[in-house]
Amino acid sequence: MSERATVEPLRIGILGAARIAALSIVAPAAATGHRLVAVAVYNPLANSLHAPWNLRAIAAGKHVLSEKPFAANAAEARRVAEAAQAAGIVVIEAFHYPFHPLWRRVVELVGAGAVGEVQHVETMLRMPAPADSDPRWALELAGGATMDLGCYALHAQRQLGLRFLGGEPRVVSGHGAERRGRPGVDEALSVELAFPSGATGSAACDMDSPDVWDFHLTVTGSAGVLHVPDFPRPHVDDTLVLRRRGEPELLEHLGTRSSYTYQLEAFAAHIRRGAPLPYDVTDTVPQAELVDAAYRAAGFEPRQVTAAPLPGTRPRRG
């Protein structure tokens, strides 16, 4: 019998009705046979509510698949990670792209030396601006381009750095642009990075790029270049291009099945059978630390913890 027929489906609760939920959890649940009820929990709320509600879910004994960014800042991420580890609860930040065959092929090729010694990694995410009323522009909700887009650019840099470039990258320099009428909110931000191996990185995001959607990854090495036009959205473009000096171009398509579906399958398999994940809750703190460092390098303050009480609680008096 198939695993789907023999393993009890997850019972999944969704914290809120965010637009991303339909793509990231409702459709994958239907595709994989899991049920939308409430045992494992998906958190798609506004950025400032990720950590508070992750803590509530942990306290209730629920495993959590938390939408990125995991928390408003590194201190908040550390608090949630420590709570999850103390409770023995599975909590991961929902960077879905590493679960897809497209990313696994990137890792395979770089690991096999297809580009030679890695010299530079470029990650860029840019898109047209959301409406001015969109919560992604709200400082009090921990909004900004880096929180929505740049976190992917930085995460991919870290994933390659930890595997192939000697460890975590550090921010060398940065610059950004503030959203007009939104003090403290980044419209665009870019940083230059350095890896322990000596390789360099460029990570950038722009949430006001008219008529342009560009979510690419480019790995440049001593022997060639690996380019992925849309690494976080293989359901839109699953292309991978490898160009090696003196050789024909290699073009591959790794499948448009949603990376969110692969992610949910892996999350369920980990909870049900202990199957390995590409990262765990310990990854959330260095990720948030890098986001905070990027903000500081570009002249912004890291996002702050919301001062509003959690829904269903009363403000403390006295």
Side-chain angles (χ1 to χ4, degrees):
M1 296 179 67
S2 68
E3 177 183 318
R4 182 169 172 175
T6 59
V7 177
E8 181 183 2
L10 287 185
R11 295 183 295 278
I12 304 168
I14 302 178
L15 295 172
R19 286 171 297 180
I20 189 64
L23 176 65
S24 60
I25 201 72
V26 176
T32 55
H34 298 293
R35 298 170 55 204
L36 296 178
V37 288
V39 169
V41 176
Y42 172 65
N43 183 352
L45 299 172
N47 295 340
S48 63
L49 297 176
H50 288 173
W53 280 96
N54 288 346
L55 287 169
R56 278 193 156 190
I58 291 166
K62 310 298 185 185
H63 302 300
V64 184
L65 182 61
S66 175
E67 189 55 60
K68 55 76 194 166
F70 187 75
N73 55 45
E76 198 176 47
R78 187 174 294 107
R79 181 185 174 198
V80 177
E82 290 174 352
Q85 291 173 300
I89 296 296
V90 178
V91 182
I92 67 168
E93 189 168 14
F95 284 109
H96 47 95
Y97 72 92
F99 297 89
H100 196 276
L102 177 62
W103 183 259
R104 295 202 297 268
R105 183 60 170 152
V106 169
V107 170
E108 180 183 26
L109 287 170
V110 174
V115 298
E117 182 180 356
V118 176
Q119 299 168 334
H120 186 75
V121 178
E122 178 180 277
T123 46
M124 161 63 81
L125 288 91
R126 52 182 178 159
M127 60 175 278
D132 287 340
S133 60
D134 193 287
R136 285 172 285 184
W137 294 126
L139 184 63
E140 65 274 17
L141 296 178
T146 305
M147 300 298 277
D148 191 61
L149 299 178
C151 58
Y152 281 108
L154 294 170
H155 192 262
Q157 297 272 348
R158 292 184 55 248
Q159 288 286 298
L160 293 176
L162 291 168
R163 286 179 178 269
F164 306 118
L165 305 176
E168 296 279 356
R170 63 179 178 85
V171 176
V172 176
S173 63
H175 67 273
E178 188 174 75
R179 182 70 172 172
R180 185 176 180 179
R182 298 284 185 167
V185 177
D186 52 313
E187 178 179 275
L189 190 145
S190 63
V191 291
E192 298 301 313
L193 304 167
F195 292 93
S197 69
T200 58
S202 300
C205 61
D206 186 341
M207 208 158 67
D208 188 9
S209 184
D211 302 319
V212 174
W213 290 84
D214 178 12
F215 290 179
H216 75 259
L217 162 79
T218 304
V219 181
T220 302
S222 58
V225 177
L226 179 64
H227 182 70
V228 180
D230 204 333
F231 78 92
R233 302 186 306 166
H235 61 280
V236 174
D237 187 345
D238 64 340
T239 306
L240 177 151
V241 183
L242 175 64
R243 301 182 181 96
R244 288 173 54 88
R245 297 180 183 91
E247 297 182 11
E249 178 179 279
L250 174 66
L251 176 65
E252 295 185 0
H253 294 280
L254 280 301
T256 56
R257 184 175 189 252
S258 172
S259 51
Y260 294 104
T261 302
Y262 283 106
Q263 175 183 250
L264 181 57
E265 284 181 334
F267 186 65
H270 179 72
I271 291 171
R272 295 302 190 208
R273 307 194 312 272
L277 292 169
Y279 55 86
D280 60 22
V281 73
T282 62
D283 185 72
T284 62
V285 177
Q287 170 68 17
E289 289 174 338
L290 189 59
V291 171
D292 287 0
Y295 270 128
R296 293 189 180 100
F300 290 88
E301 289 296 319
R303 308 298 84 162
Q304 299 302 306
V305 176
T306 177
L310 291 172
T313 65
R314 295 181 179 179
R316 294 180 64 180
R317 301 182 182 275

